[in-house]
Amino acid sequence: AMNSFIDKLNEHEKEMYRRQIDCSKEDNDKKEYIVSPLNDLIRFNPFQYEPYYKLTKQSEYPKTIYIADEVGAGKTIETGIILTELIYSREYNIRTDVCLIICPNLLCRKWRDTLKALFGLDASIVYSVKDIHIGINIVSFDTISGSTGEIDLKTSIFIVDEVHNASGDRFNKVKTLRDSVDLKKGYVILLSATPLSGDKKDCAKQIQLLKSDMENPDEFFSTESIFLCKNKKIVMRY
């Protein structure tokens, strides 16, 4: 099975995969190699692992990343890889920890079906903030907008897809959920193909979700951590 997998890789992919194997041989107790190519039903695209490396190399919690890859580059796949690797490395325990995915209503089923079909992960679509539970929860912006409750649990992984939609009156409710992130071991992952589509104030709100102590809109444009992705243009990272 291993040889069959390697045979399907091009030379660049083989080189990257060998690096992961070399890392695992150097220190078997340190998880620096990847398991997704063997465990998940996805094609091995090296650029889709960059967000995982950028996220986990950070030293302080919560670890945060803004994945702003272009449409079709595979932001959902990149996030699934992150979840797989965090589960394997025991940074996230699906039986005891909360993962919260916020997205537009039309994408809820897509997230659930993709995580199940390609990564073998069970996720639940919830229709009230009060129903958020241990495991992977998917909730729509519309549900959050109409909700009056608050989450009682600490969130280990906080994901917002199409995060540019978290603006206006909706922002405060999404920010309340962001504040439930466990500061001792949490992860924050924001996704959007159009991070700069709104005005300056809306852009600053997105960054507040990423890094909650950033309040000045000008800081969004002056940050040193800007972009990286498939075409080496857009993934915002801290």
Side-chain angles (χ1 to χ4, degrees), residues 18-194:
R18 289 191 190 104
R19 286 208 305 269
Q20 315 315 315
I21 298 301
D22 290 341
C23 284
S24 68
K25 290 178 180 177
E26 290 174 6
D27 185 352
N28 289 328
D29 294 328
K30 189 174 183 180
K31 198 273 183 187
E32 292 185 351
Y33 54 100
I34 50 179
V35 299
S36 292
L38 295 177
N39 286 358
D40 300 329
L41 298 177
I42 56 175
R43 175 172 172 75
F44 183 70
N45 289 314
F47 79 89
Q48 291 181 331
Y49 291 82
E50 291 296 336
Y52 166 71
Y53 288 124
K54 297 298 181 184
L55 178 65
T56 56
K57 78 174 185 178
Q58 299 173 38
S59 58
E60 295 184 359
Y61 288 95
K63 298 185 177 185
T64 65
I65 189 169
Y66 193 135
I67 304 175
D69 275 338
E70 61 196 20
V71 175
K75 294 183 291 297
T76 307
I77 300 299
E78 291 169 339
T79 306
I81 289 170
I82 291 172
L83 288 175
T84 292
E85 300 299 330
L86 291 180
I87 290 171
Y88 175 72
S89 63
R90 299 181 182 178
E91 291 294 312
Y92 170 69
N93 188 330
I94 202 168
R95 295 182 179 86
T96 61
D97 300 331
V98 174
C99 172
L100 178 58
I101 301 172
I102 301 172
C103 64
N105 185 56
L106 291 176
L107 296 181
C108 287
R109 288 187 178 182
K110 177 190 173 184
W111 269 97
R112 183 190 63 188
D113 295 347
T114 299
L115 291 178
K116 182 62 176 179
L118 298 184
F119 299 95
L121 297 174
D122 290 318
S124 301
I125 299 174
V126 298
Y127 299 97
S128 170
V129 170
K130 296 178 180 179
D131 293 334
I132 294 173
H133 55 273
I134 300 298
I136 302 175
N137 303 260
I138 302 171
V139 59
S140 71
F141 284 113
D142 290 342
T143 293
I144 291 173
S145 296
S147 178
T148 58
E150 295 184 2
I151 184 171
D152 295 326
L153 302 169
K154 284 292 183 183
T155 303
S156 294
I157 303 178
F158 179 79
I159 300 167
V160 186
D161 191 11
E162 304 288 352
V163 66
H164 55 273
N165 288 300
S167 59
D169 295 337
R170 178 182 286 168
F171 169 77
N172 290 329
K173 293 191 175 182
V174 175
K175 180 64 165 56
T176 297
L177 294 174
R178 163 62 172 85
D179 291 340
S180 73
V181 173
D182 192 332
L183 299 179
K184 295 181 179 179
K185 62 174 185 177
Y187 292 85
V188 175
I189 304 165
L190 307 184
L191 314 170
S192 176
T194 55

Side-chain angles (χ1 to χ4, degrees), residues 65-68 195 207 220 225-228 234-238:
I65 189 169
Y66 193 135
I67 304 175
I207 296 304
F220 177 89
S225 302
I226 306 295
F227 303 111
L228 164 76
I234 43 177
V235 165
M236 220 170 300
R237 62 196 186 278
Y238 277 81

